Amino acid sequence: MHIKRSPEEIAANRARYEEHQKKGLEFAPKALPGKSPMPAPEIAADTILHREIIPGGWYWWTRVKTNETLRISLDQGFSTLALVAWNAADTSERLNLPDTVKLQWTTGLGKGRVIFSDMGKVMFSIVEDSSGAHDCLMGGSTEASNTAKYGDIITRNARDNFVIAATKLGLDKRDLPAALSLFAPVRVDADGKFFWNPALLSGADYIELRAEMDMIVAFSNCPHPLDPSPSYAPNPVTVTRLKAETPAADDLCRTATAEAVRGFENNAFAQA
């Protein structure tokens, strides 16, 4: 049932939210840095565990160990890569974007931010990021969104790709969390509507995600529903898995916000 709220109630709710947000942000111990430099620095060959090039329209999944890093890079032109993740030891624990947004008071994910699970633990730290153009609100494409955009031509979509990946992992579509879409410059305008802001992209963008627990990560390389291109033509995306390195005690992602500090405390408690 839809409940219509008065302008006064909406304004009061917004003021209450902004007050909580202000308190949360003021408690942040460190200022977050800007975007990572372009072009992406070269990766030392002896740190590479695996490199996968995901063709346009396709999916891939991999296991990652704690402190390994995934560099996801647009080496062959623009594409949006969606991802979902599960705790490898207990797949009932999974990526949780609503909590990631609420706990950090922002939908803007970039260097220094973390990505939470649905159990209040940190799954990923964003250790490098050249764009900050990632969508944690809309999720990926579906058969319906592709049909509405491209017509009756046969195209692959993120939802079906993730269902296939989950099935191969012994999971079910009910085990799928909302997907994070990387390199999808989705923002919200003053009227609360989603829009695509290509100015946030730099070209051959990249992001590096450090695993904060052992995980299974699935990717889907399909156009985002808001991608303005009229053609279904996603470019290949490179995913490089790098050897684990123990973070420093003052690691930015572990200390930049009070919420991240609590999340890492939960990680440590679970491992004790």
Side-chain angles (χ1 to χ4, degrees), residues 229-252:
S229 173
S231 301
Y232 184 96
N235 290 302
V237 177
T238 304
V239 180
T240 306
R241 185 162 64 95
L242 307 175
K243 288 182 179 179
E245 293 187 5
T246 302
D250 62 348
D251 178 78
L252 173 67

Side-chain angles (χ1 to χ4, degrees), residues 13-266:
N13 288 340
R14 178 177 290 277
R16 185 162 53 251
Y17 168 82
E18 290 177 348
E19 178 62 24
H20 285 303
Q21 181 188 44
K22 181 173 181 290
K23 291 179 179 178
L25 294 176
E26 286 177 346
F27 194 62
K30 290 184 178 180
L32 295 180
K35 298 176 183 179
S36 298
M38 294 281 289
E42 292 292 327
I43 300 174
D46 61 352
T47 67
I48 297 175
L49 297 173
H50 180 78
R51 175 167 282 154
E52 189 77 17
I53 298 177
I54 307 175
W58 288 87
Y59 69 95
W60 178 65
W61 66 268
T62 188
R63 293 180 182 270
V64 293
K65 297 289 188 180
T66 303
N67 292 335
E68 291 179 353
T69 296
L70 294 171
R71 177 187 281 189
I72 302 148
S73 51
L74 302 183
D75 300 333
Q76 300 185 52
F78 172 72
S79 214
T80 291
L81 190 73
L83 72 82
V84 295
W86 301 268
N87 182 336
D90 178 4
T91 53
S92 68
E93 182 177 10
R94 63 200 69 171
L95 185 78
N96 190 302
L97 296 178
D99 283 357
T100 295
V101 169
K102 289 185 293 183
L103 291 172
Q104 297 176 105
W105 301 100
T106 182
T107 60
L109 298 183
K111 184 176 180 178
R113 294 291 181 187
V114 298
I115 300 172
F116 285 91
S117 78
D118 56 4
M119 295 186 183
K121 293 187 286 184
V122 179
M123 299 192 87
F124 292 107
S125 290
I126 304 176
V127 294
E128 298 291 347
D129 177 42
S130 67
S131 72
H134 313 297
D135 173 29
C136 51
L137 297 174
M138 290 190 65
S141 59
T142 64
E143 181 180 3
S145 70
N146 277 9
T147 300
K149 185 173 182 180
Y150 305 110
D152 294 331
I153 63 171
I154 297 175
T155 56
R156 299 180 68 96
N157 65 82
R159 172 67 179 177
D160 288 347
N161 277 350
F162 285 135
V163 170
I164 295 170
T167 301
K168 290 185 175 181
L169 291 164
L171 303 172
D172 186 86
K173 62 183 179 181
R174 291 172 295 183
D175 296 308
L176 288 172
L180 171 63
S181 293
L182 303 175
F183 315 116
V186 175
R187 292 297 182 262
V188 182
D189 66 17
D191 296 323
K193 296 179 180 179
F194 296 124
F195 72 99
W196 186 267
N197 183 5
L200 298 176
L201 298 168
S202 304
D205 284 297
Y206 67 101
I207 185 171
E208 292 187 2
L209 304 174
R210 184 178 64 218
E212 302 297 351
M213 62 176 71
D214 292 357
M215 284 183 289
I216 305 169
V217 188
F219 300 93
S220 174
N221 182 8
C222 295
H224 190 277
L226 289 188
D227 186 334
S229 173
S231 301
Y232 184 96
N235 290 302
V237 177
T238 304
V239 180
T240 306
R241 185 162 64 95
L242 307 175
K243 288 182 179 179
E245 293 187 5
T246 302
D250 62 348
D251 178 78
L252 173 67
C253 294
R254 291 172 176 257
T255 57
T257 66
E259 295 79 9
V261 171
R262 287 193 291 269
F264 281 107
E265 288 173 351
N266 292 337

